[in-house]
Amino acid sequence: MVKINMWQNQGKKIEKKDNEWRRKQLGPIRPSGGDRQQAKNELGATSQDNVNKIIAELDSLVGLKSVKKLITELQAFIEIQKLRQKEKLAYEPMVLHMIFKGSPGTGKTTVARIIGKLFKEMGVLSKGHIIEVERADLVGEYIGHTAKRTRDEIKKALGGIMFIDEAYSLARGGEKDFGKEAIDAMVKAMEDNKDNLVLILAGYKHEIEAFLETNPGLRSRFPIHITFPDYSTQELMEIAEMMLKKRQYCLTDEARDQLRTLIKIRAQRHINSGNARMVRNLIERAMRLQAVRLVNAQLPKISKEELMTITAEDLINAYDDLTED
């Protein structure tokens, strides 16, 4: 047995050397035309499957009907322009920088991540990742510092999306503020990297509109404007149920009614209350308070049902804590 194994290993060495000699003499072995076409077709099919999965992920988000509709239109437009280009027909240049308008917690960052993945699968972006920045990441402390910091962040985002939250804060300091330097560097980068970078500016609708007026060239460079509406009470309830189900928790009937009441109270007290962030914070704090309640109860044994159940009391106490913050 040992001799046979030695012979087999020796044979493998000879075969390996022979293959190395062939590669040096003939170059790398390339697939035939038919094989290449088959591989290309399989790659295209895989990419389309991935696109379909990404669109399904978008569709699975609660609410955002108008946002989903616009992104689906955008996907179709990109596909058709690429086909027109292939057939040597006139086609529209794809300027895909965007403005996201809406309250915090209405899904803007989540949708940006989905768009990044979608554009990568469609061949629009090479990486499809997302770099999230705000004023503190871009604006420096002295002349020349801001431009460098902005260029560094843009360099990280190349091949993907640069997502600038509360972008209007860059223009709040007036003419002498270094934020203007960041805007100028950003505009230049958009021109220099137009085929390998998508910029998304995000923030409240009115503040974003005012920001676009601070630089004459900004509005024309962001042709796609998407408005993210506040979630309705029913949509927030659906988001809460999805969060709980994912974490293997459930509400009692009384707790479910209480949650709906708390969401409505929040809506009456706050103008921009229809956001998922508030619901997430409420649910996560209720989970922690449920844990404290169960531990303090000093039960001889905690049942599976008790481990999973969030009560109305948990929610009320969690809401009181949130309003105190």
Side-chain angles (χ1 to χ4, degrees), residues 2-14:
V2 175
K3 290 182 179 179
I4 293 173
N5 285 339
M6 289 174 65
W7 180 85
Q8 287 176 338
N9 290 337
Q10 187 66 25
K12 289 179 181 177
K13 290 180 181 177
I14 294 170

Side-chain angles (χ1 to χ4, degrees), residues 51-318:
V51 167
N52 293 339
K53 288 177 183 177
I54 293 167
I55 293 298
E57 181 184 353
L58 176 68
D59 288 338
S60 71
L61 299 179
V62 174
L64 303 177
K65 185 177 179 181
S66 59
V67 175
K68 295 173 184 176
K69 182 174 180 291
L70 200 153
I71 292 173
T72 303
E73 291 173 2
L74 197 58
Q75 176 211 354
F77 178 77
I78 292 170
E79 287 184 0
I80 293 302
Q81 294 310 308
K82 289 172 71 175
L83 288 173
R84 288 179 63 88
Q85 184 179 8
K86 185 178 178 181
E87 295 296 333
K88 296 182 171 53
L89 294 170
Y91 63 93
E92 292 292 322
M94 291 185 286
V95 181
L96 299 172
H97 303 302
M98 306 179 192
I99 301 285
F100 283 6
K101 306 173 188 175
S103 306
T106 49
K108 297 189 293 297
T109 307
T110 300
V111 170
R113 291 194 184 106
I114 291 174
I115 288 174
K117 291 189 289 186
L118 179 64
F119 283 2
K120 179 182 183 297
E121 289 301 327
M122 297 185 72
V124 176
L125 293 172
S126 58
K127 297 179 181 177
H129 64 302
I130 178 171
I131 298 294
E132 299 177 49
V133 298
E134 51 189 24
R135 178 186 167 92
D137 300 306
L138 303 176
V139 178
E141 300 172 357
Y142 50 84
I143 295 173
H145 189 208
T146 295
K148 182 182 183 305
R149 291 184 75 166
T150 304
R151 286 195 298 268
D152 288 345
E153 292 297 332
I154 288 169
K155 188 175 180 180
K156 295 177 191 175
L158 290 179
I161 291 174
M162 186 168 176
F163 183 90
I164 307 178
D165 199 14
E166 297 187 354
Y168 37 76
S169 63
L170 295 174
R172 280 181 177 162
E175 285 295 319
K176 295 182 180 180
D177 183 69
F178 292 137
K180 185 177 182 298
E181 194 178 343
I183 296 171
D184 293 340
M186 185 174 68
V187 170
K188 184 178 186 305
M190 291 168 68
E191 290 298 321
D192 295 344
N193 305 284
K194 57 186 176 183
D195 295 326
N196 200 32
L197 176 69
V198 169
L199 257 68
I200 298 179
L201 307 185
Y204 290 109
K205 180 178 179 180
H206 297 300
E207 283 87 343
I208 282 285
E209 287 294 334
F211 170 66
L212 293 176
E213 299 302 322
T214 62
N215 187 305
L218 276 178
R219 186 176 293 275
S220 62
R221 286 177 168 84
F222 292 89
I224 303 167
H225 289 219
I226 303 179
T227 299
F228 286 71
D230 286 357
Y231 292 108
S232 67
T233 298
Q234 182 55 39
E235 287 169 344
L236 290 174
M237 288 294 295
E238 290 179 32
I239 290 170
E241 293 283 6
M242 287 174 63
M243 290 174 60
L244 289 162
K245 184 177 180 180
K246 184 177 180 181
R247 293 165 172 80
Q248 293 187 308
Y249 283 86
C250 61
L251 299 172
T252 64
D253 291 340
E254 184 184 0
R256 189 171 290 103
D257 293 338
Q258 187 64 59
L259 177 60
R260 187 180 296 275
T261 299
L262 294 175
I263 289 172
K264 289 180 179 178
I265 291 172
R266 185 80 174 184
Q268 292 170 356
R269 293 180 179 176
H270 299 270
I271 297 174
N272 300 302
S273 62
N275 64 76
R277 191 173 301 169
M278 180 273 293
V279 170
R280 184 183 69 237
N281 291 341
L282 180 61
I283 293 298
E284 288 178 350
R285 189 156 300 199
M287 287 163 53
R288 293 195 294 271
L289 292 180
Q290 179 244 36
V292 172
R293 172 173 57 79
L294 291 176
V295 169
N296 289 344
Q298 297 183 339
L299 300 171
K301 183 179 179 182
I302 302 174
S303 69
K304 181 178 179 181
E305 183 180 356
E306 287 169 325
L307 289 171
M308 296 175 64
T309 303
I310 301 291
T311 67
E313 181 186 4
D314 296 329
L315 286 169
I316 292 170
N317 292 335

